[in-house]
Amino acid sequence: MLDRLTAVFVLGAVVALSASPAAAGIAPHPTPTPLKTISHIRSSPLCTGLRKSITPAVAKVLQSDQIISRSKPLFKTFVNASTDRQAKPAQDMAVMRLEQLVGPLVANTQRVDQLLSNPYAFPKVARSDDDRQLMKMRAQLQAVNDQQKHALDVISGFVATQQLADLQAEGHEMDNVTNPNIKSEMPTPGPLSPTPMTPTILNAGVGSDTNDPTRKLDPRYHPGGNTLAASPLDVFGNAIASYQHDIQSSEQAAAKSVLEAVPLCGGHVPGQPEPEPSPSP
């Protein structure tokens, strides 16, 4: 997926660069001999939209792909550390690194929204085949961006909830040691606990009563065989994997449309015959 879209981005960049004389191999200084026309660069609303909005939007989508992929091992690290109280620093480090992904993802998705809503790059009404192709590419990339926002929601929601859980548990770490009669905010293992130590994130914003009857209806608290496999925290990494699958499908559709548009604007798709040079005037 990433290699294919990287190729699309490079092709789009070629189209954008080909509009400038320097990129076409034209000498910057005056020359006495007339230059031959290497190829004609088509100027049309389709090509303008491809250069001004579609190409930079693809670049941002690719960046977001890489950022989202970095979240999966961090979620795994958090899950592995959640069963050991001594591994709290590893949990905190994973949360901190996940938090660092949020800002770039927000910036990228907002930038894609701006690029795809540029009124100077897209027609209000599709009146030609070129217009329809341009609008199709915009819709496909918007679908990718919307799905990446869902992944962003998972990451940012996890970070915010875990930070809330840490605040709620703060000051109660030594309750069981200093006064055994005081119930700790950290619930003790029970018949409905999915792990030896229930992570604090599961109690963020809710009561910590393990006897709460509503927990019997919550599949996160159902006992399982393997501790890590049954961890309710796996839901975050699984959600990211699911969104990545959806993103890949949408990106493949967008890549196909962009690859079809590039040759129409003077670009060259690797593996296809290069356009014949136009005769000199």
Side-chain angles (χ1 to χ4, degrees):
M1 173 189 66
L2 193 57
D3 291 341
R4 180 176 179 84
L5 274 182
T6 300
V8 172
F9 170 60
V10 172
L11 290 170
V14 169
V15 174
L17 291 174
S18 64
S20 66
I26 300 176
H29 54 78
T31 176
T33 57
L35 296 175
K36 294 182 179 181
T37 302
I38 298 176
S39 63
H40 289 290
I41 304 303
R42 182 180 173 189
S43 178
S44 69
L46 171 64
C47 302
T48 298
L50 188 64
R51 286 191 291 266
K52 288 184 176 293
S53 292
I54 299 299
T55 293
V58 169
K60 292 299 181 183
V61 162
L62 288 175
Q63 290 178 3
S64 294
D65 273 346
Q66 295 174 341
I67 296 170
I68 292 170
S69 67
R70 294 204 296 270
S71 70
K72 290 179 65 177
L74 295 176
F75 280 124
K76 188 63 177 177
T77 297
F78 187 92
V79 172
N80 291 341
S82 66
T83 59
D84 184 2
R85 291 180 184 273
Q86 303 301 319
K88 186 64 167 63
Q91 284 185 295
D92 293 341
M93 180 63 69
V95 174
M96 182 186 72
R97 292 177 64 187
L98 283 166
E99 186 178 17
Q100 292 173 345
L101 304 181
V102 174
L105 271 177
V106 170
N108 281 354
T109 54
Q110 288 180 343
R111 180 56 180 157
V112 172
D113 282 337
Q114 293 171 353
L115 289 166
L116 298 182
S117 61
N118 182 355
Y120 301 103
F122 301 97
K124 292 183 178 179
V125 179
R127 302 183 183 278
S128 65
D129 290 341
D130 281 1
D131 288 348
R132 283 185 281 273
Q133 187 167 3
L134 184 59
M135 300 291 275
K136 179 181 178 181
M137 288 187 290
R138 181 175 73 169
Q140 290 169 330
L141 285 174
Q142 188 64 65
V144 174
N145 195 47
D146 290 343
Q147 289 162 344
Q148 289 180 332
K149 288 179 184 177
H150 292 320
L152 166 61
D153 289 342
V154 172
I155 299 171
S156 62
F158 172 86
V159 170
T161 307
Q162 176 59 28
Q163 290 173 340
L164 172 61
D166 286 342
L167 285 175
Q168 288 181 322
E170 188 174 356
H172 296 277
E173 296 85 354
M174 301 299 294
D175 282 353
N176 289 335
V177 176
T178 58
N179 191 343
N181 296 321
I182 298 179
K183 185 177 180 180
S184 173
E185 291 295 321
M186 184 76 70
T188 56
L192 297 178
S193 297
T195 62
M197 184 190 73
T198 303
T200 57
I201 190 173
L202 298 182
N203 298 310
V206 298
S208 59
D209 185 5
T210 56
N211 295 319
D212 184 348
T214 61
R215 290 198 175 198
K216 296 180 180 180
L217 304 177
D218 192 334
R220 296 179 306 166
Y221 296 94
H222 291 178
N226 181 276
T227 297
L228 287 180
S231 173
L233 297 176
D234 284 332
V235 67
F236 299 101
N238 293 341
I240 291 296
S242 177
Y243 285 130
Q244 283 184 309
H245 180 270
D246 294 340
I247 290 169
Q248 179 177 358
S249 298
S250 298
E251 285 178 342
Q252 288 176 345
K256 183 176 183 295
S257 298
V258 176
L259 286 171
E260 292 173 352
V262 166
L264 301 178
C265 297
H268 171 60
V269 178
Q272 295 183 1
E274 294 196 28
E276 293 292 333
S278 301
S280 57

